[in-house]
Every structure is written in C-alpha cells, then in structure tokens.
Amino acid sequence: MLRAVWNQALRVRQRAIWSWAGFVHVFRTEGSLAQWLVANAVFAVLALVLPLSAGERGLLLMGGIMILAAECMNTAIERIVDDIGTDRRLLAGQAKDCGSAAVAVTAAAVGVAWVCVIVGLLI
C-alpha cells in the first residue's frame, strides 16, 4: 500500500515537472502569454480590491487562468502543425486559426463576465 502511494506521488511529481516545462516553453516562445500574464495580474488586483462576492472573484480569477490554458493549447497546436511540415497548407492554416480563435473566444467570455460583474456593482 505504501509503495503504491509513493509511486503515485512520483507520477504526480513528474507530471508537474512536465507541465511546468511546457508552461515555461510557451512563456519563452510566445509573447502573447506574457501579455496575458500581465493582464491577469492587473485584473487579479482589481478582482481582489473590488467589493465582490467570493463566487464573482473566483469566476473572474478562474477565467484569467483559462485564457492562459487556451494560449498553451494554441501553442501546442502550432507546434504540431509546424512539426508536420513548414509548407503552406490550407488545413494547417485553419488549425492554427482555430487555436487562435479558442484564445479569443475564451478572452471574450472572460470579458463578458467582467462586464456582468461591473454592471452588477453599478446597479
């Protein structure tokens, strides 16, 4: 039993290392992730100082993190497409555009949440 728990802990640790390496790669190669991190920092401060409920605050902070996740997935799509080949292909371009759209849609969803929360504060 103890051995199984130890092995599981080692697997969790290894997954955390791989995930962190992926995040660092995206940070070093994609300027947009750095921009989203700055935006998240600004909006996190705003979410923490505004008189929001715990649910509103959690929703807004989670949304910012979801944008970072979408940016990481977009980078993964770009890397796979580029690894397959560098010649211009219609479907490859569409895959990259869809990844970019996922980031934009996620950001729009978070923007809608912010508008709803701010309007709620003003009413």
Side-chain angles (χ1 to χ4, degrees):
M1 172 71 173
L2 186 59
R3 184 181 190 121
V5 170
W6 178 256
N7 287 338
Q8 184 63 29
L10 290 176
R11 284 192 291 272
V12 169
R13 179 181 180 272
Q14 195 61 48
R15 288 183 193 117
I17 290 169
W18 293 330
S19 296
W20 181 250
F23 190 82
V24 169
H25 168 76
V26 176
F27 180 77
R28 288 182 177 162
T29 62
E30 298 294 326
S32 55
L33 184 69
Q35 293 170 347
W36 284 120
L37 284 168
V38 169
N40 271 347
V42 170
F43 285 113
V45 169
L46 192 58
L48 294 171
V49 300
L50 287 174
L52 304 178
S53 71
E56 291 169 328
R57 188 170 287 120
L59 173 76
L60 296 174
L61 294 172
M62 180 193 69
I65 294 168
M66 294 301 292
I67 294 171
L68 301 178
E71 188 63 51
C72 289
M73 288 184 278
N74 181 41
T75 300
I77 292 167
E78 291 175 354
R79 295 301 177 271
I80 290 169
V81 167
D82 291 345
D83 187 54
I84 292 170
T86 56
D87 54 317
R88 296 185 74 86
R89 299 173 319 279
L90 177 64
L91 293 177
Q94 290 173 344
K96 286 183 169 189
D97 291 346
C98 289
S100 179
V103 177
V105 169
T106 305
V110 176
V112 168
W114 269 102
V115 167
C116 291
V117 168
I118 298 299
V119 167
L121 286 175
L122 297 175
I123 292 179

